[in-house]
Amino acid sequence: MSILEYVRPEIRSMQAYQVAAVEEGFIKLDAMESPYAYVDEMQEELGKQLSQAPINLYPVPNGDGLAEDLRAAFDIPPNAGMILGNGSDELIDIVTKALSKEGATLMALEPSFVMYALSAKLHRMRYVGVSLNEDFTLDLAATLAAIEAEQPALIFIAYPNNPTGGRFERADVETIIKTAKGVVVVDEAYSAFSSDTFMDLAGQYDNLIVMRTLSKIGFAGLRVGYAAGAPILMDEMAKVVPPYNMNQLSIVAAKFALQYQPFIIENTERLKAERERVRTALKAYEQIEDFPSEANFITIRVPDSNLLFDTLKQNKILVKHLHNAHPLLANCVRLTIGRPEDNQAVLAVIEQLYGRT
Ligand SMILES: *Cc1c(COP(=O)(O)O)cnc(C)c1O
């Protein structure tokens, strides 16, 4: 008997999460990373602090003050409970694990972040996807009907949504939180680029968890995420958090990052301005359909997404091809917003393909 017979069949049928190997000289616009790294003197200062991190000791739960620094920096209500995760991917895993009673259902909107369905599978929850409208807005009637019919224990809503970029109507999400009996996670990975947040309500609804990350604001490599909600619920989540899930180096680096908030704010503002500039530029092309974005990426539909993806690649630009991810994403490509010159390189390829000659 092969050793593989011992592996869970649903895991055998999966593929490991694909992280593209990027060749030297490529412009990487596929994963919503910030293009802005620390300049020399900040690198040096961070290096000094990292050299003093107590890596011989296990990290303190809640990150040696990091949770309180995050609370202060990002307006997390004082009456909300918090947990920290090794990226918000780990928080998705933790919340799913805590709610994965036998036969329980996890619901997500589609298309949305792929980790939700994956997490359901890994924790043996029933998965129900509710389709968005064709323009990627939320179909409130269908969503409420699905909640009524399926009684999900857990609903994930990315706000703004990935990979579509738009933010759903606040009132619709609030209706979902009020209607659902189970937990609703509002995943605000892109909150820094968004005009709205549910963080102010964290702690006010027993069934609401607001989840965020430092990944999209310049620190994808640190793997730091945080979640806030009613203490009664977050205390249960805390039981599932692996001991020592955060590491001393990330804790030191994240605390350092929060001391230099102007760096974060300045880069966020630059990327938001670039997003608007790129979106305006895209409007000039009749063949391109662009969707509203409150994130650091823009998703577009073109006549032939293979052609656009391949041509960008020939020009050493890597973006995310969404064509096969979901039927509603036919011929769609997701462009992470980079530095002005990176975005200009994308627009030059678009002009070459879709410009009037
Ligand atoms: C990027 C992303 C995450 C994951 O963030 P990490 O903190 O890097 O794990 C979670 N949710 C959404 C919607 C994302 O786009």
Side-chain angles (χ1 to χ4, degrees):
M1 183 169 139
S2 158
I3 192 65
L4 296 180
E5 299 289 323
Y6 289 95
V7 177
R8 287 169 51 191
E10 61 272 41
I11 289 175
R12 286 186 66 183
S13 68
M14 282 165 50
Q15 303 229 311
Y17 191 87
Q18 295 294 317
V19 177
V22 189
E23 291 160 53
E24 186 79 13
F26 259 72
I27 301 174
K28 193 171 182 301
L29 300 176
D30 66 325
M32 282 77 83
E33 292 146 317
S34 170
Y36 300 114
Y38 281 146
V39 293
D40 291 351
E41 61 267 35
M42 283 179 81
Q43 278 179 355
E44 255 170 56
E45 182 55 34
L46 173 60
K48 271 188 215 152
Q49 297 199 14
L50 286 173
S51 70
Q52 287 160 28
I55 58 172
N56 55 316
L57 302 178
Y58 282 116
V60 175
N62 265 351
D64 195 18
L66 177 58
E68 289 319 306
D69 288 359
L70 289 163
R71 196 188 286 274
F74 297 119
D75 299 322
I76 301 168
N79 61 340
M82 270 181 87
I83 58 170
L84 302 184
N86 196 319
S88 50
D89 279 350
E90 189 185 45
L91 295 169
I92 293 167
D93 186 73
I94 287 166
V95 173
T96 310
K97 194 183 282 182
L99 297 172
S100 59
K101 282 167 61 174
E102 201 169 341
T105 297
L106 183 156
M107 183 177 285
L109 305 170
E110 286 190 355
S112 188
F113 192 43
V114 292
M115 293 306 290
Y116 308 147
L118 181 64
S119 192
K121 191 180 254 182
L122 289 177
H123 294 291
R124 298 188 161 104
M125 290 183 82
R126 254 182 82 235
Y127 175 76
V128 174
V130 180
S131 186
L132 298 173
N133 294 311
E134 271 183 37
D135 62 357
F136 302 141
T137 55
L138 192 147
D139 185 343
L140 185 63
T143 307
L144 294 179
I147 291 170
E148 173 68 27
E150 310 285 350
Q151 295 293 319
L154 175 56
I155 303 173
F156 280 101
I157 300 176
Y159 185 87
N161 192 36
N162 174 15
T164 56
R167 178 173 70 67
F168 303 126
E169 292 292 337
R170 181 183 177 89
D172 290 356
V173 176
E174 236 178 310
T175 302
I176 291 169
I177 296 166
K178 286 179 178 152
T179 306
K181 298 189 185 79
V183 170
V184 179
V185 172
V186 177
D187 180 347
E188 296 191 348
Y190 300 96
S191 66
F193 308 97
S194 170
S195 62
D196 191 43
T197 172
F198 276 86
M199 191 53 91
D200 52 317
L201 296 182
Q204 290 199 30
Y205 291 100
D206 277 354
N207 68 334
L208 170 64
I209 295 178
V210 181
M211 200 176 266
R212 293 210 193 139
T213 173
L214 299 188
S215 293
K216 311 293 162 41
I217 56 173
F219 309 102
L222 291 186
R223 313 305 301 130
V224 173
Y226 55 100
I232 182 184
L233 180 61
M234 299 315 281
D235 286 350
E236 298 302 314
M237 299 302 137
K239 299 176 187 176
V240 186
V241 177
Y244 317 126
N245 66 329
M246 310 299 289
N247 74 74
Q248 299 282 31
L249 298 177
S250 288
I251 291 167
V252 168
K255 285 167 76 171
F256 179 86
L258 296 180
Q259 279 171 19
Y260 292 92
Q261 281 216 68
F263 173 84
I264 298 175
I265 292 165
E266 192 186 315
N267 292 334
T268 304
E269 290 307 315
R270 279 199 249 181
L271 292 171
K272 278 162 69 178
E274 273 297 286
R275 177 187 72 202
E276 295 314 306
R277 184 181 73 83
V278 171
R279 187 142 185 255
T280 304
L282 290 170
K283 297 236 179 267
Y285 302 97
E286 268 172 32
Q287 299 179 74
I288 298 181
E289 184 181 2
D290 68 289
F291 296 95
S293 170
E294 293 207 12
N296 61 340
F297 62 87
I298 297 178
T299 291
I300 60 175
R301 177 174 287 121
V302 294
D304 180 354
S305 58
N306 277 313
L307 176 66
L308 175 59
F309 181 80
D310 291 343
T311 311
L312 285 166
K313 209 164 177 184
Q314 282 154 20
N315 285 272
K316 297 195 157 199
I317 303 168
L318 186 66
V319 300
K320 180 75 175 176
H321 196 187
L322 298 171
H323 182 70
N324 289 322
H326 189 273
L328 289 182
L329 293 168
N331 279 312
C332 285
V333 166
R334 186 185 68 194
L335 312 169
T336 297
I337 299 297
R339 297 168 302 173
E341 57 268 38
D342 304 332
N343 307 326
Q344 220 37 51
V346 172
L347 290 172
V349 170
I350 283 175
E351 172 63 24
Q352 177 198 323
L353 288 178
Y354 305 110
R356 264 171 265 206
T357 44

